Amino acid sequence: GAVVSQHPSWVICKSGTSVKIECRSLDFQATTMFWYRQFPKQSLMLMATSNEGSKATYEQGVEKDKFLINHASLTLSTLTVTSAHPEDSSFYICSARDGRENQPQHFGDGTRLSIL
Amino acid sequence: GQNIDQPTEMTATEGAIVQINCTYQTSGFNGLFWYQQHAGEAPTFLSYNVLDGLEEKGRFSSFLSRSKGYSYLLLKELQMKDSASYLCAFMDSNYQLIWGAGTKLIIKP
């Protein structure tokens, strides 16, 4: 089946550091990739939608200058959390959608980000 | 507008059957999905319904009624490992998933 690889799984770093998270679709071309954030015991919150070769569309309240998204190819999207602070600590999950009609989103395993 | 609703929490007994309901409202609809999410993990895909009726996949079945804006996920022969959150989501006319808040399913021995 479809596989989405997300890396790294865990990040612990100091406040002020920038962190890059990669999301790859391994056996299909992902025309659209989604980035979610999930705080403990809360539901998934969509941060942004990225389409290959174009700028990402950010949800209301998500700072595009803080959460930089690059979707340079049909198999790779990256999320960079710039100058991360403790309040950015969360579980970040990417998902990718096969460009063919009526396909589900497939999720990466998520990245647990802890900012000290 | 768009909205989607599912119960916050349900409890069931090991070996029993449980049905998790999901209702939604939207003007554009491209299918309804169910995902399972264990604590601390990413969601995993369970089922997809785009036409009315029941889709069976092993111990899990999913039902859709588009006219009623209603779906359910049916879990049979419950096992302790089925304890998780179950998320329903519909795909809107822009092919974006609109998520429910999730139903936490607690399985008791």
Side-chain angles (χ1 to χ4, degrees), chain A residues 34 36 38 41-44 46 49 59 91 93 97 101-110 112, chain B residues 30-31 33 35 37 39-45 48 50 87 91 95-97 99-102 104:
Chain A
F34 303 87
Y36 294 87
Q38 187 175 36
K41 298 184 180 181
Q42 296 187 22
S43 60
L44 293 170
L46 180 64
T49 302
E59 295 300 301
F91 190 42
I93 310 170
R97 182 176 161 266
E101 201 172 315
N102 297 332
Q103 294 295 311
Q105 288 184 24
H106 296 279
F107 287 85
D109 289 337
R112 193 161 300 283
Chain B
N30 279 301
F33 298 86
Y35 286 82
Q37 186 178 26
E41 298 180 11
T44 55
F45 170 73
Y48 170 64
V50 67
L87 309 171
M91 186 178 284
Y95 295 97
Q96 183 166 316
L97 281 181
W99 293 89
K104 183 179 180 181

Side-chain angles (χ1 to χ4, degrees), chain B residues 11-61:
Chain B
T11 302
T13 305
E14 189 177 14
I17 299 172
V18 71
Q19 178 175 311
I20 303 174
N21 295 325
C22 176
T23 57
Y24 64 90
Q25 285 183 313
T26 179
S27 55
F29 179 79
N30 279 301
L32 189 127
F33 298 86
W34 284 96
Y35 286 82
Q36 180 191 61
Q37 186 178 26
H38 286 99
E41 298 180 11
T44 55
F45 170 73
L46 289 179
S47 69
Y48 170 64
N49 294 68
V50 67
L51 299 176
D52 291 349
L54 187 69
E55 295 276 345
E56 296 186 74
K57 195 184 291 185
R59 293 190 298 115
F60 293 5
S61 303

